[in-house]
Every structure is written in structure tokens, then in C-alpha cells.
Amino acid sequence: MAEDRQESRAAAHGGALAVAAARAHGVSTMFTLSGGHVFPLYDGAVTADPPMRLLDVRHEQTAVFAAEATARLTRTPGLAVLTAGPGVTNGVSAVTTAYFNGSPVVVLAGRAPDYRWGSGSLQEFDHPALLAPITKRAGTEHETAKVGSAVDDAFRLATTPHRGPVFLDIALEALFGPAPSGAPGVRETAGSGAAAPADLDPGEISRIAQLIAGAVRPVLVLGSDVWTGGAEHAALQAAEELRLPVITNGQGRGILPAGHELLVTRARAAAFREADLVIVAGTPLDFRLGYGEFGGKDGAPAARVVHIADAPGQVAGHCPLAAGYAGDLAAFFAALPDAVTAAATSPAGPARLAWEEAWLPRLQAAVKDAMTADSALLTSAADPIHPMRIYGELAPLLDDDAVVIGDGGDFVSYAGKYVEPKRPGGWLDPGPYGCLGTGLGYAIAARLARPSGQVVLLLGDGAAGFSLMDVDTLVRHKLPVVMICGNNGIWGLEKHPMQAIYGYDVVADLQPGCRYDQVVTALGGAGELVTKPGDIGPALRRAFDSGVPYLVNVITDPAIAYPRSTTGI
């Protein structure tokens, strides 16, 4: 009798239809913060067979960040559920981050009832108009019978390249209303939102292959979409067969593991300055890559640029390209080695590709020189602590399958330089939108996605202020995470540049020595303060051994500024 009652409740309303559609696309967790407008979604999760995990957070942005990180780590879509009005507006920065990162996230939201619309209902707000510019689609479902199919469509769109967030709010009566028998739900091909690989254009491949075969100083850049598109193995194989120097960014990090002979990220300045051909795959030509301008130094001609993307709308239009490709990235990389070999073959036989003679060895030497030059600071005994010493202590403690998350400015910029993943899918940062506060949501998702692996969250002290309250979420849901706060008591990304421009700075100071570790302890976790460089290593080992959310609060030298080459402006 109880089972019959559960089955009748699970099929009784729009919330159950939505949960069934989400589960068909591989969703296992609903990230949310409690709100009455979305109660049927919770009921649908609890009464599903088996139940869908509900993970409740302390701020709606954390729910969306967790859903986004789930998508980026597992390559299945993430689900966030937000209550109406402020629940939605609190999640806007996180939705925007997912949009900039191309992360397949579905955000389902409550909505004031249609029958009272315009009368001033609680939290009555037309959300889609706000969300439309930062999603692939933002819409409303008004009918219970169509909720399942609308959610199914949302997941299909989110997972179709170029991936991104989709927003759907559901009118109160549609979500709470009884589902009629035979209501349309999930199509038979649920979970296959990604488009089937299109036939490769042999002309495009040949053109790109000829450019590579004719290059003397090529560089291949691998970005996040190579990972999220499942092209990491094909990209690695292509790079190794062609002996191409590789620079990685975003979630492209780890496709060539740390120490790989072709990985020249540590020599990126020289590579981009001297290259005659740069092939950029799976990432936009934005401020992180000099807006697509490479070479051209010391009177040399500018490098030719090839942009490889997963969808036509992602190919750069703001800078001149020698060639471009839009489509399945795995298929592209699988076809590339043979095409380059054919382009380099003459009647005398296959030619030795020119960059193996001098260019690749020069970049490899530059990598070694950079590592040698940095070794002193990675072991620095300076007091106050140099932030690089933290990474010198952390790197040897990281397992091959560790997930490292960066949420901060200067402190995390050091991580991007000195923490090199050993596997793909082991790095998360906010991406090109540069939104602080991603860290706790990303850490929650990482612990769920990798339950037995190390999860390390690197926090600037400024970033800590955005989301540290969600340590309570880690504690309540028993999710151990190691947090390391680089605490210099300033907004470093702003203080040093403002001083350089104006000779002074304002609104760039934080509380010196703030005890963020005590905040974590008060919330039920653990932590400690570190002020001496020799104490960093032992504190980190205690954090990894603790089995609880643990924050190592390291007081660093505020006079040290990260030597960045771009402000993104």
C-alpha cells in the first residue's frame, strides 16, 4: 500500500515530471536553496525511485556554481533549482559564469501563479527577460502537461554544442498541478543532446594541415571545450604524432600531463611572442590569449592564427584568421595527423616537420629555465610568507587524481602557473567571466563527483568573503574539502595596479590577519593559522588527514604582486 501511495504521489504533479526528465539526462543531484515556489520539485526528487539527491546550500549562487562544476567535471548536465524572485536573481552571476564557460546547466525556477499575474503576488517577477542574454534560452512553462517535455528540451539544448545554461521557470499552478495521464515526457533518445559528429570538410582540414606543414614555429593551444567535448584523447594523440608544442588553459589543463615533453605552458610568453602559427582549439580568442594576436615581435610578421571551435558561433570574428573549423573536436583531431603528413609529403617522401629541429627544443629549454628560476621562491624562507612557498609545499602532496579549484585573484594566478594537473578534468577556475565566489560551490560538486579523491580549494582572502558561509553546507552534508586561504589582507588585483596608475590606492584593503580558519571552525569544520613558512607543509598534511572541511589560513606578504601580463581590459 505504501509503495502504491508513493507511486501515485511521484506521478501527481509537474515537479515529478520535471525530475523524471532530468534523471533521463543523467542528473543525480539537485542543487538548491529551499523555497516554497519549488516544493513540487523537492517532492518529485524525494518520491522518485530511486530518490534524487537533494543538496541544499546557503546562497543560490552556490547552487548554480555546484551544478556548473558538476557539468564540467562529469561531462553530464548539472541541475540547479531556484525559488522565484530573489532566488533567481541571487543566481545570476553563477548563470553568467556557466554561459561564459560553455557549461551545460539547466536552471529550473519557481514563478508566481499565472492566475494572479499582475496583481502583486509574492516574488512576482518575469525572470526570462533577465536571463535571456546569459543563457542559450530562457522561457516559461505554463501547463503541467508540458512540464516534462519542456525540461527534456532544456537539457537537450544545454548539452548541444556549443554547450551552455538553459533557464526555465514554471508557473506555480503548472508545477503544483496534477499531471494528466499521457502527459508528454522524455523522448526516447534522452541524454543524447550532443549533436552527432558532422562529416568533416576535407577542404578545411587540408587547409589547416597545409598551414601546419608549412610552419616553422607552430604552437597548439588546448582549451576547456577539448575536455568537455570528449576530445582529450584525440588531441593528445594528434599532438604526440605531430610533435607539436602545446599550451593548455582552463580545463584543457591536464590533457598533456605535468612533465610531458610537449607541454610548454611554462614557456608561453616566448612561444606566443615568437610563433609563426598558433592553432587554438576549444577556447575563445579573448584577453587570456591576447585577443588572438601572436608573434610580430622584433619586426617579425604576425603569426597566422587557426581557430578550432565546437560550433560556428564560437569561431572568432574579431581578428583575422588564416583558417577556422567548427564541429566535432574529436573528429578534427583524429583526422589531423594524416592530413598534415600528406601535406608535408613530397615526391622524395615524407618530410621531417621543421619545428622538431630547433623550435621545440628551444621551448623545452625555456621550460626548464623557468622551472629552475622559480625554484628559489617555491622554497622561499621569506617572512612574511611569499605566496609561491605555499605551492612549493602543496604540489608534492597532490595525488594524480586530485581536483584543484581556484577562487581568487593574485593568489590563484600563482596556482595557474605552478599547479599542473596530472590528468584532465582535475582543474576548475572561474573562467573568462572572472567571477569570485565560485569556490565553495565548485568544491561541493567536486567532492560529490570524486568521492575518494583529494579536493583542494584555493581561496584568496577576498574571494573567501563571497562564499565561506557554505562551509556549513560541507559540514551538514559531510563533504571533506581541504581549503587553503592565501591571506594578504588586500584586494591584490586592484591595490597594486591602482598604486601604479595613481600613486595611491583606496577601497583595496581588507582586515589584516583575518581569522578565516576560525570562521570554518565555528561552522563545524576545522582549521589553523599559519604565519611561518616552515609550518605550511605540516599544516597541509594535517588538513589532508583530517577527513573534515579544513581551512589552512596562510598569512602572506601583501607587498608581493603577481607579475601578470594582462589586466583583461
Side-chain angles (χ1 to χ4, degrees):
M1 183 68 70
E3 291 179 0
D4 292 340
R5 185 165 57 250
Q6 180 170 331
E7 289 179 8
S8 66
R9 286 184 63 209
H13 49 58
L17 298 178
V19 168
R23 170 156 278 160
H25 287 271
V27 173
S28 60
T29 302
M30 179 187 298
F31 298 100
T32 191
L33 192 154
S34 186
H37 287 84
V38 291
F39 279 175
L41 290 166
Y42 304 156
D43 185 62
V46 169
T47 58
D49 185 17
M52 178 178 286
R53 178 193 288 121
L54 283 166
L55 197 142
D56 59 311
V57 300
R58 297 300 301 269
H59 193 290
E60 285 87 357
Q61 70 171 13
T62 301
V64 181
F65 283 137
E68 192 224 345
T70 296
R72 292 170 64 183
L73 289 171
T74 68
R75 296 186 285 196
T76 58
L79 171 64
V81 169
L82 309 180
T83 198
V88 172
T89 56
N90 280 348
V92 165
S93 289
V95 175
T96 310
T97 296
Y99 184 71
F100 274 74
N101 287 335
S103 301
V105 174
V106 171
V107 178
L108 299 181
R111 182 180 174 94
D114 285 341
Y115 79 93
R116 284 288 192 187
W117 196 261
S119 301
S121 295
L122 174 67
Q123 298 171 342
E124 180 182 309
F125 183 68
D126 191 22
H127 312 116
L130 178 67
L131 276 294
I134 53 172
T135 58
K136 295 183 72 173
R137 186 176 69 204
T140 299
E141 183 50 61
H142 300 275
E143 300 180 40
T144 302
K146 296 180 180 179
V147 167
S149 59
V151 173
D152 178 42
D153 287 343
F155 277 100
R156 290 176 183 278
L157 181 59
T159 54
T160 298
H162 183 63
R163 300 164 186 84
V166 175
F167 176 85
L168 178 70
D169 64 7
I170 305 170
L172 190 77
E173 55 267 64
L175 201 54
F176 278 82
S181 60
V186 182
R187 285 176 273 169
E188 291 184 3
T189 54
S192 58
D199 292 336
L200 292 173
D201 183 335
E204 287 183 349
I205 298 294
S206 177
R207 169 66 177 152
I208 294 168
Q210 289 171 3
L211 289 167
I212 295 173
V216 176
R217 297 180 303 280
V219 176
L220 173 62
V221 179
L222 300 178
S224 293
D225 291 338
V226 178
W227 159 255
T228 56
E232 69 275 13
H233 299 300
L236 173 60
Q237 185 172 347
E240 290 180 335
E241 288 188 27
L242 296 173
R243 304 287 297 163
L244 282 168
V246 174
I247 292 170
T248 58
N249 83 347
Q251 286 198 276
R253 294 161 59 87
I255 293 176
L256 271 68
H260 194 288
E261 62 171 343
L262 298 176
L263 184 64
V264 298
T265 303
R266 293 298 307 278
R268 96 181 243 146
F272 287 159
R273 183 175 61 247
E274 301 175 27
D276 63 356
L277 177 69
V278 180
I279 310 105
V280 177
T283 192
L285 296 174
D286 57 19
F287 70 94
R288 298 170 297 172
L289 292 174
Y291 305 100
E293 298 177 5
F294 307 101
K297 306 300 180 183
D298 302 323
R304 291 173 292 182
V305 180
V306 175
H307 197 198
I308 313 300
D310 61 5
Q314 296 302 303
V315 177
H318 65 273
C319 60
L321 298 177
Y325 166 87
D328 183 82
L329 299 182
F332 169 81
F333 281 114
L336 189 63
D338 287 347
V340 173
T341 300
T345 298
S346 69
R352 180 176 171 84
L353 296 169
W355 57 86
E356 290 188 79
E357 301 288 346
W359 175 238
L360 177 58
R362 186 152 93 249
L363 293 179
Q364 290 170 330
V367 168
K368 291 180 181 179
D369 290 345
M371 295 176 68
T372 300
D374 289 335
S375 61
L377 289 178
L378 290 170
T379 58
S380 171
D383 187 357
I385 295 170
H386 194 293
M388 283 177 58
R389 174 66 183 266
I390 299 172
Y391 296 108
E393 297 287 348
L394 174 63
L397 300 179
L398 293 175
D399 296 336
D400 287 0
D401 61 349
V403 176
V404 178
I405 301 158
D407 184 11
D410 277 5
F411 180 61
V412 172
S413 294
Y414 284 110
K417 190 172 184 179
Y418 299 112
V419 177
E420 195 63 60
K422 300 180 179 69
R423 297 180 186 177
W427 172 264
L428 286 172
D429 60 33
Y433 191 53
C435 183
L436 296 182
T438 60
L440 267 294
Y442 284 7
I444 290 164
R447 174 49 69 213
L448 294 179
R450 312 282 171 82
S452 61
Q454 293 175 329
V455 176
V456 178
L457 170 57
L458 305 168
L459 286 167
D461 52 336
F466 284 87
S467 64
L468 203 58
M469 192 67 196
D470 262 301
V471 167
D472 170 69
T473 303
L474 295 176
V475 171
R476 285 185 294 111
H477 292 275
K478 297 179 173 55
L479 304 174
V481 169
V482 172
M483 295 164 278
I484 305 168
C485 183
N487 185 353
N488 61 4
I490 61 173
W491 292 103
L493 266 175
E494 288 71 34
K495 187 178 183 73
H496 296 294
M498 191 173 182
Q499 287 177 340
I501 295 170
Y502 296 107
Y504 71 94
D505 66 87
V506 293
V507 296
D509 290 297
L510 298 169
Q511 182 185 143
C514 186
R515 296 299 302 269
Y516 299 104
D517 54 304
Q518 291 183 347
V519 175
V520 171
T521 300
L523 291 170
E528 60 185 283
L529 181 71
V530 174
T531 60
K532 300 295 182 183
D535 294 337
I536 298 171
L540 293 179
R541 286 187 282 275
R542 285 189 290 273
F544 281 115
D545 291 341
S546 70
V548 299
Y550 196 109
L551 187 138
V552 179
N553 186 13
V554 186
I555 306 301
T556 62
D557 189 349
I560 304 295
Y562 181 80
R564 64 187 64 257
S565 59
T566 179
T567 63
I569 300 174

